[in-house]
Amino acid sequence: NTRPRNFAEPRMVSVYLILRLTDHSYPVIRKAFDKNHATVMHAEKQVVERSKQDEPLRLAISALQRQLQGNSR
């Protein structure tokens, strides 16, 4: 992997949240991140899989999602 994890993981979480919280399509997200379609799909899958095993990641994503939806609880 040529991309350091400190860049890749936040991008993957961003892609995941955009897919969950908006109705933007894969092509729109792909263009916004200057990535290909497969990379966007892979990011979504990786976040789903990693969050099953990584509780701190799951909690961070949940907190971000609440903040983005305007519900800080």
Side-chain angles (χ1 to χ4, degrees), residues 10-72:
R11 184 185 63 241
M12 289 191 297
V13 170
S14 297
V15 165
Y16 174 82
L17 289 170
I18 291 168
L19 287 165
R20 293 293 179 268
L21 300 176
T22 72
D23 42 354
H24 293 311
S25 64
Y26 285 100
V28 169
I29 297 167
R30 179 195 69 76
K31 288 178 186 174
F33 284 91
D34 194 28
K35 298 294 178 187
N36 66 44
H37 186 81
T39 300
V40 172
M41 292 177 65
H42 178 71
E44 179 185 24
K45 182 179 177 181
Q46 283 292 95
V47 170
V48 169
E49 291 303 313
R50 286 183 186 177
S51 64
K52 289 178 184 176
Q53 305 296 324
D54 187 340
E55 185 176 9
L57 176 62
R58 185 172 54 251
L59 293 173
I61 291 169
S62 183
L64 284 168
Q65 188 168 351
R66 285 192 308 273
Q67 287 176 351
L68 291 168
Q69 291 176 313
N71 182 2
S72 58

